[in-house]
Amino acid sequence: MPSDLERAMETLIIVFHRYASKASGNPSTLNRKELKMLMETELSSFLKSQKDPAAVDRIMRDLDSNGDGEVNFEEFVSLVVGLSIACEQLYQFKQRQQAGGVKKQ
Amino acid sequence: MPSDLERAMETLIIVFHRYASKASGNPSTLNRKELKMLMETELSSFLKSQKDPAAVDRIMRDLDSNGDGEVNFEEFVSLVVGLSIACEQLYQFKQRQQAGGVKKQ
């Protein structure tokens, strides 16, 4: 039986390919429309405060490190990493706050 | 309710902290003993072929980019990313094989 961590890695691959194969075009990369769908559905709690309609274009440009107009798995993972690191910093802050190391605002 | 992707990111944080707080020392980083425990328990399917007793030390050295002898969350995530990218390449190869694009060995 896979461990929690192995299942989490499998989820990254499954979620990426679920959206990469939605629209026509390359079924192994996310185009703008697929990335928008993925972010609206899978990252809604992170992005619900994001009202800027140009946000997806900006994120697409930032992620598309090889500049081909598509986001491949490696580029997608860098988004997941960035969000996870930000969440982990918040988690550590909350832990310190609970332990009394940081005063509540 | 969190999405599959949000849950996967949460799992990365929870699993890291589950092991980081096991031994004495810094509860926000993995020392050698904690990294070994994490890898043996959470990555056993990936590492079962790895019989080299020095493997954990080598991986520890590779991950510890700031050289403090401990693995922090950012350094841990780079291990997860590397393994996920390798798995995704295998997944794509298998998909092409099933579609008849790659001959079976």
Side-chain angles (χ1 to χ4, degrees):
Chain A
M1 217 179 91
S3 69
D4 294 347
L5 187 57
E6 287 164 346
R7 226 189 310 258
M9 291 194 280
E10 188 187 41
T11 300
L12 301 185
I13 298 170
I14 289 172
V15 167
F16 174 81
H17 282 280
R18 186 186 301 154
Y19 291 87
S21 58
K22 272 201 193 294
S24 59
N26 189 337
S28 303
T29 55
L30 299 167
N31 60 24
R32 189 191 169 282
K33 194 174 159 187
E34 290 164 335
L35 177 68
K36 191 168 186 281
M37 250 190 287
L38 187 155
M39 288 176 62
E40 283 172 355
T41 316
E42 298 288 334
L43 297 170
S44 60
S45 350
F46 287 101
L47 302 170
K48 62 185 169 196
S49 58
Q50 185 53 263
K51 298 287 176 216
D52 177 6
V56 172
D57 287 316
R58 221 181 28 242
I59 292 169
M60 180 102 199
R61 246 193 334 267
D62 288 347
L63 293 180
D64 181 20
S65 55
N66 65 1
D68 66 353
E70 302 266 331
V71 171
N72 64 26
F73 184 73
E74 283 186 51
E75 292 162 344
F76 163 72
V77 166
S78 73
L79 171 66
V80 176
V81 164
L83 288 173
S84 301
I85 289 172
C87 289
E88 198 269 340
Q89 283 165 350
L90 187 63
Y91 173 90
Q92 280 206 42
F93 179 80
K94 294 273 178 196
Q95 293 286 97
R96 284 200 302 274
Q97 204 176 50
Q98 276 174 10
V102 177
K103 284 212 177 89
K104 283 197 179 179
Q105 301 286 312
Chain B
M1 217 178 92
S3 70
D4 294 347
L5 187 57
E6 287 165 345
R7 224 187 313 258
M9 291 193 281
E10 188 187 42
T11 300
L12 300 186
I13 297 170
I14 290 172
V15 168
F16 174 81
H17 282 280
R18 188 186 301 155
Y19 291 87
S21 57
K22 272 199 193 295
S24 58
N26 190 337
S28 303
T29 55
L30 299 167
N31 61 23
R32 188 190 170 284
K33 195 173 159 188
E34 290 164 334
L35 178 68
K36 191 168 186 283
M37 252 190 286
L38 186 155
M39 289 175 64
E40 284 171 355
T41 316
E42 298 288 333
L43 297 170
S44 60
S45 353
F46 287 101
L47 302 170
K48 64 185 168 194
S49 60
Q50 185 55 263
K51 299 287 178 215
D52 178 5
V56 173
D57 287 316
R58 221 179 29 242
I59 292 168
M60 180 102 200
R61 242 188 342 263
D62 289 347
L63 292 180
D64 181 20
S65 55
N66 65 0
D68 65 353
E70 301 268 329
V71 171
N72 63 27
F73 184 73
E74 283 187 51
E75 292 162 344
F76 163 72
V77 165
S78 74
L79 170 67
V80 176
V81 164
L83 288 172
S84 301
I85 289 173
C87 289
E88 197 270 340
Q89 284 166 350
L90 186 64
Y91 172 90
Q92 281 207 42
F93 178 80
K94 294 274 178 196
Q95 292 287 99
R96 284 200 302 273
Q97 203 177 51
Q98 275 175 12
V102 178
K103 283 210 178 90
K104 283 196 178 178
Q105 302 288 311

